[in-house]
Amino acid sequence: MSTAAALPLTGLIPSKVLAELDLGGATLTTVSDGSLVLPGSFIFDPMPKDELAEVLSPYDVSMDRLTPECNLALYRDGTNTVLFDVGSGPDFMPTAGSVQDSLDALGLSASDITHVLFTHAHPDHIWGLLDEFDEPVFSDATYMMGRREWDYWWDDSTVDTIGEARAAFAVGAKRRMEMIEDQIEFIDDGDEVLPGIVAVETAGHTPGHMSFEIRNGSQAALIAGDAIGNHHVAFRKPEWLSGSDQDLDMAAATRTQLFDRIMADNLHLIGFHLPNGGIGRVERHEGAYLFVQE
């Protein structure tokens, strides 16, 4: 029977490990990379303000300041040790970039990671490729990224078209991708990238954002990255446009489709910015959805 722990964990699981799920004998763990500090406008700007306050009221979420967790998924099946994204590293925000401490708490080093699968190339997901000395951190790993996502950030014109607020994202992504150019394997929607792990293109947050469905035995989970980016508005109003997404309309359509898939296939959900470790279930609630830790 699958289990997930989402309360503070003492004695059973190291404190840097946020939640853990048994998937048919394999283990899916979330490890902390810290958190972000963002203005509420980063997400809420396109939303109807008269309705937003009511949506947020049950969640103790400020409209002015957000501090989302950064939860990296770690999958171990006895053969492969797979990290989904690599966190922020030392150069993005002082509150983030602690994934190596979290791996240490599990008795793992960067060299133990056999594969890194990227959901997308925003700073809190890829800048952790380099340490404070600009040296590669996970140098022994095989890297995998969606072909569309790679092409977008690799394109020299992206820095000029992404908008001033995100221009540094493009510069930082390209610099890190240059470090792994010879180690990257491109993946496409529907590919079984590793045994039991299937790529699911979930574009909108970025042009080639990729989620991953993991099946082992009778258990299944969806690592959604930022395709479902928070536990409040994204669940209560998935059709609303979010300022955190690059293609707002496509991202909203993708969210709606993902919720349909999660419910139809009875999937556990792992979200990079969902609370208390980011592992849980989705339940229908008042005509929309609710994120429930198990």
Side-chain angles (χ1 to χ4, degrees):
M1 182 173 182
S2 63
T3 58
L7 297 175
L9 302 169
T10 58
L12 296 178
I13 304 174
S15 60
K16 291 287 186 178
V17 179
L18 298 174
E20 195 161 276
L21 178 69
D22 174 30
L23 279 178
T27 303
L28 186 58
T29 308
T30 52
V31 292
S32 176
D33 192 51
S35 61
L36 304 181
V37 179
L38 302 169
S41 59
F42 182 71
I43 290 177
F44 300 142
D45 253 4
M47 299 176 182
K49 301 303 183 293
D50 55 336
E51 298 179 57
L52 178 60
E54 182 179 353
V55 169
L56 293 178
S57 60
Y59 296 97
D60 192 28
V61 171
S62 168
M63 292 177 62
D64 301 318
R65 183 176 182 269
L66 298 168
T67 56
E69 296 178 16
C70 298
N71 304 314
L72 279 69
L74 176 73
Y75 179 74
R76 290 169 288 173
D77 63 5
T79 301
N80 298 310
T81 301
V82 184
L83 189 64
F84 293 84
D85 298 325
V86 292
S88 295
D91 297 330
F92 185 48
M93 287 190 182
T95 54
S98 58
V99 68
Q100 291 191 71
D101 292 337
S102 298
L103 292 174
D104 286 345
L106 281 172
L108 296 174
S109 67
S111 62
D112 292 316
I113 304 301
T114 61
H115 298 80
V116 171
L117 274 56
F118 290 104
T119 62
H120 63 297
H122 276 167
D124 50 331
H125 296 257
I126 196 173
W127 282 21
L129 274 175
L130 301 179
D131 64 17
E132 63 269 30
F133 305 107
D134 273 358
E135 295 293 330
V137 175
F138 302 97
S139 54
D140 295 330
T142 297
Y143 299 100
M144 297 183 182
M145 183 183 288
R147 191 183 310 268
R148 191 191 304 270
E149 184 76 358
W150 178 277
D151 289 346
Y152 174 75
W153 297 101
W154 193 259
D155 188 339
D156 289 335
S157 69
T158 294
V159 69
D160 299 317
T161 57
I162 196 173
E164 184 178 354
R166 287 185 167 99
F169 292 12
V171 174
K174 179 68 178 291
R175 184 163 75 89
R176 286 157 179 83
M177 289 160 64
E178 288 172 344
M179 300 292 289
I180 62 171
E181 182 182 6
D182 295 333
Q183 294 169 267
I184 195 74
E185 292 185 8
F186 297 119
I187 57 179
D188 296 302
D189 181 43
D191 288 350
E192 185 174 25
V193 298
L194 287 167
I197 303 178
V198 174
V200 181
E201 187 166 291
T202 47
H205 183 69
T206 60
H209 187 285
M210 195 74 76
S211 299
F212 298 91
E213 186 173 315
I214 301 178
R215 289 190 176 273
N216 197 342
S218 61
Q219 303 297 327
L222 182 77
I223 295 173
D226 285 1
I228 299 174
N230 59 71
H231 67 295
H232 36 82
V233 180
F235 282 74
R236 300 300 296 136
K237 298 289 183 180
E239 73 279 7
W240 279 7
L241 305 185
S242 172
S244 62
D245 298 323
Q246 291 185 218
D247 187 325
L248 279 64
D249 292 305
M250 182 181 291
T254 293
R255 270 192 300 279
T256 301
Q257 293 165 6
L258 270 184
F259 280 122
D260 288 343
R261 180 176 187 146
I262 289 166
M263 300 305 293
D265 294 347
N266 193 30
L267 302 174
H268 293 274
L269 174 63
I270 295 88
F272 193 89
H273 294 302
L274 298 183
N276 298 321
I279 295 180
R281 286 283 192 180
V282 179
E283 293 183 359
R284 296 194 187 277
H285 180 71
E286 297 179 352
Y289 303 98
L290 187 68
F291 180 62
V292 180
Q293 267 92 36
E294 296 179 346

